[in-house]
Amino acid sequence: MEVLGSTLKLSMKVVLIKYNAGNVQSVLYALARLGVEAELTDEIEKIRSADRVIFPGQGEASSAMSYLKERRLDQVIQEIKQPFLGVCLGLQLLCTHSEENDTDCLGIFPIKVKRFIPSAYSQEKVPHVGWNSLENLVKNPLFKDLPESKFMYYVHSYYAELGEHTLATTSYIHDFTALLHRDNYWAIQAHPEKSGALGEKLLENFLAIPSN
Amino acid sequence: MLTKRIIPCLDIKDGRTVKGVNFVELRDAGDPVALAKLYSEQGADELVFLDITATVDKRKTLVDLVTQVAKEVRIPFTVGGGIGSIADVYALLAAGADKISINSAAVARPELVDALAREFGSQCIVVAIDSRQRDRKDWVHTHGGRKVTTLQTNAWAKELADRGAGEILLTSMDHDGTKEGFALDLTAAISSTLPIPVIASGGAGGMLHFKDVFTLGKADAALAASIFHFKEIGILELKMYLEKEGVVVRN
């Protein structure tokens, strides 16, 4: 698939931060479909010198934070200047605090992460698993030329509250933050690597965001 | 709003789809990757690959297949069949599967469900239940339905959720292959009492059956094989129909 200009593809260095969180292989494959061979690494210098940094993840917040701190990756993430994308647990770890094992997180976004609690009268199940729609999209380079269908694939039990940096919402039990943006940091709760054409376009748009 | 999911199931033997697939669009209807891509493009929400390969030494073929699917397909997929250990699951997830499904091994060793959920997270552990009615009670069967157990389906489903299963794939053997509709009462009974999603399977013969299993059966997802493989129902038209009938689906 010819998506990005070939020069851009060849010259762009994309890294995925390696830590103790699962299934990054799918993210690597999704990037490969866009013509980008990303590298999975926890080497600080490689992360600092990359053109784009992706922080994926599926796992548990407190053990992920301990892992990052042991390797000083928490500081690296907080100081990073290039376009940075957190995905799923990666979004939650960029917030200030998660209810998952009462964990202090990286604090890039001044909002909290809470556990879904089904309402007494409804039959919503936790985790929130499946396809759900993006709503209330705020104009942003990430949303350039999106397909009409706005469904993304979600798998999560915790969600980020709404805040000033919320770029889009999704509704399950109540509205929660689907995407975030502040300075060079973007974050997405759903799994773009598994969300069909929409997910692919979001990844492509992220790669196309100019570095400063 | 969270949508109801439509899940085509592909039976795999020695890395090829079996049980008859009839697609003129495909040069090779036995190629699971091509079929998976086609279903994904038609709007399938997820896929299930069920490996019915008899021999253990052919398992490597399955891992290779999972790698190919993960590389080329942009929607989540589950792999099941013959999985009995943490090592089996690790290999399939590392190759790019999103979820795995276990069945007989969970009945033989229920603690395996706890171990898998702890190791990999509940979100990727689907437990399949094959259920058949006898004396007005629903009984769990294993080994492709050949062996009856002493477990009752509703109690077993609840135990699986307590042990950390992330989803239940519930097949009614009484309905499977009949094309007369899903097991609505059984599915509703399980789904409305469990805190985790239930995928209904067995009996799909027409579009109405899907509407029924989502509304009356309270299923979170519905799985079918032959009606999709033989193009008796197109996924796109099924979704248009469901949307018209007020069922929330991904369009």
Side-chain angles (χ1 to χ4, degrees):
Chain A
M1 195 180 304
E2 188 63 23
V3 179
L4 297 167
S6 52
T7 338
L8 181 60
K9 275 193 290 190
L10 290 175
S11 61
M12 183 181 282
K13 203 175 127 203
V14 179
V15 301
L16 265 69
I17 297 179
K18 184 176 165 187
Y19 65 116
N20 60 337
N23 208 358
V24 291
Q25 195 58 55
S26 301
V27 181
L28 291 172
Y29 288 148
L31 292 167
R33 288 194 290 271
L34 290 166
V36 172
E37 295 301 326
E39 185 183 0
L40 182 65
T41 183
D42 58 3
E43 289 177 42
I44 289 174
E45 272 322 302
K46 279 189 174 169
I47 296 170
R48 283 195 171 136
S49 65
D51 299 308
R52 301 285 181 282
V53 180
I54 298 179
F55 183 39
Q58 210 173 64
E60 190 275 320
S62 67
S63 61
M65 277 307 298
S66 314
Y67 186 99
L68 293 173
K69 282 181 182 167
E70 276 163 28
R71 288 159 183 78
R72 291 201 306 125
L73 290 169
D74 56 333
Q75 239 181 305
V76 175
I77 293 171
Q78 284 160 333
E79 290 166 0
I80 220 138
K81 293 284 173 274
Q82 61 272 52
F84 185 97
L85 178 69
V87 174
C88 196
L89 179 64
L91 173 145
Q92 299 180 3
L93 295 178
L94 292 176
C95 298
T96 50
H97 179 269
S98 171
E99 279 186 358
E100 189 171 21
N101 291 314
D102 191 15
T103 305
D104 285 327
C105 300
L106 295 160
I108 303 296
F109 296 104
I111 53 176
K112 289 181 173 165
V113 174
K114 300 195 160 179
R115 187 177 167 84
F116 280 120
I117 298 174
S119 55
Y121 314 101
S122 64
Q123 294 200 328
E124 287 111 344
K125 298 169 180 183
V126 177
H128 172 220
V129 179
W131 295 85
N132 203 331
S133 51
L134 298 181
E135 284 149 31
N136 305 309
L137 282 72
V138 176
K139 193 171 159 44
N140 190 275
L142 207 61
F143 295 153
K144 191 170 175 279
D145 302 329
L146 294 186
E148 200 178 318
S149 172
K150 293 291 185 290
F151 288 96
M152 300 284 295
Y153 187 76
Y154 287 88
V155 184
H156 60 130
S157 299
Y158 293 83
Y159 67 92
E161 293 186 305
L162 303 179
E164 58 175 316
H165 303 292
T166 298
L167 267 194
T169 66
T170 291
S171 179
Y172 188 66
I173 304 176
H174 43 67
D175 284 357
F176 66 88
T177 286
L179 287 107
L180 285 163
H181 173 221
R182 177 185 185 182
D183 306 325
N184 57 318
Y185 295 94
W186 280 263
I188 178 162
Q189 178 61 60
H191 288 275
E193 73 279 12
K194 285 288 165 183
S195 294
L198 175 60
E200 191 163 278
K201 189 66 190 172
L202 287 168
L203 286 175
E204 187 195 338
N205 285 345
F206 170 71
L207 295 175
I209 286 167
S211 345
N212 6 327
Chain B
M1 250 176 106
L2 185 63
T3 65
K4 301 289 189 182
R5 288 170 278 158
I6 303 293
I7 308 178
C9 177
L10 285 69
D11 284 315
I12 304 295
K13 188 162 189 271
D14 304 336
R16 307 273 299 165
T17 53
V18 291
K19 268 203 190 170
V21 174
N22 182 15
F23 277 101
V24 284
E25 299 95 323
L26 298 176
R27 227 172 294 153
D28 174 6
D31 175 11
V33 179
L35 186 57
K37 280 177 84 170
L38 185 66
Y39 282 141
S40 166
E41 280 154 24
Q42 290 173 347
D45 297 305
E46 278 181 50
L47 299 166
V48 168
F49 295 87
L50 191 61
D51 184 42
I52 55 173
T53 303
T55 56
V56 176
D57 58 322
K58 296 260 174 69
R59 295 290 286 188
K60 196 184 165 300
T61 316
L62 181 67
V63 172
D64 291 344
L65 169 65
V66 168
T67 305
Q68 281 311 310
V69 174
K71 279 185 178 170
E72 299 198 30
V73 174
R74 301 182 298 190
I75 59 172
F77 66 96
T78 302
V79 180
I83 296 169
S85 68
I86 285 185
D88 290 342
V89 173
Y90 183 81
L92 294 169
L93 294 180
D98 298 284
K99 311 177 197 180
I100 59 85
S101 169
I102 59 170
N103 187 343
S104 301
V107 173
R109 287 173 291 135
E111 66 281 1
L112 179 64
V113 178
D114 307 64
L116 293 177
R118 249 195 328 271
E119 184 76 22
F120 304 105
S122 291
Q123 81 287 338
C124 61
I125 309 302
V126 179
V127 185
I129 303 177
D130 290 335
S131 179
R132 177 175 276 165
Q133 208 164 60
R134 205 182 52 202
D135 302 331
R136 307 186 71 178
K137 284 179 179 155
D138 297 293
W139 300 94
V140 176
H141 287 60
T142 59
H143 299 83
R146 292 190 303 276
K147 286 190 185 174
V148 62
T149 71
T150 55
L151 297 165
Q152 285 197 31
T153 303
N154 49 4
W156 177 233
K158 183 160 188 330
E159 180 178 341
L160 290 170
D162 291 343
R163 286 181 180 274
E167 285 181 271
I168 299 293
L169 168 52
L170 177 65
T171 301
S172 164
M173 295 169 57
D174 302 299
H175 294 71
D176 202 21
T178 64
K179 300 200 171 186
E180 288 176 359
F182 293 93
L184 301 179
D185 292 346
L186 177 67
T187 307
I190 306 285
S191 187
S192 57
T193 52
L194 285 196
I196 57 174
V198 172
I199 305 163
S201 158
M207 297 203 286
L208 175 68
H209 297 151
F210 286 88
K211 179 194 159 195
D212 286 347
V213 81
F214 289 135
T215 54
L216 304 171
K218 298 181 167 40
D220 298 283
L223 177 141
S226 59
I227 54 152
F228 295 136
H229 299 332
F230 290 101
K231 296 177 80 176
E232 290 164 32
I233 297 179
I235 293 168
L236 195 62
E237 60 169 330
L238 173 59
K239 287 192 148 184
M240 283 164 65
Y241 163 81
L242 289 170
E243 193 167 29
K244 194 167 64 77
E245 294 293 321
V247 177
V248 182
V249 289
R250 178 174 74 115
N251 51 27

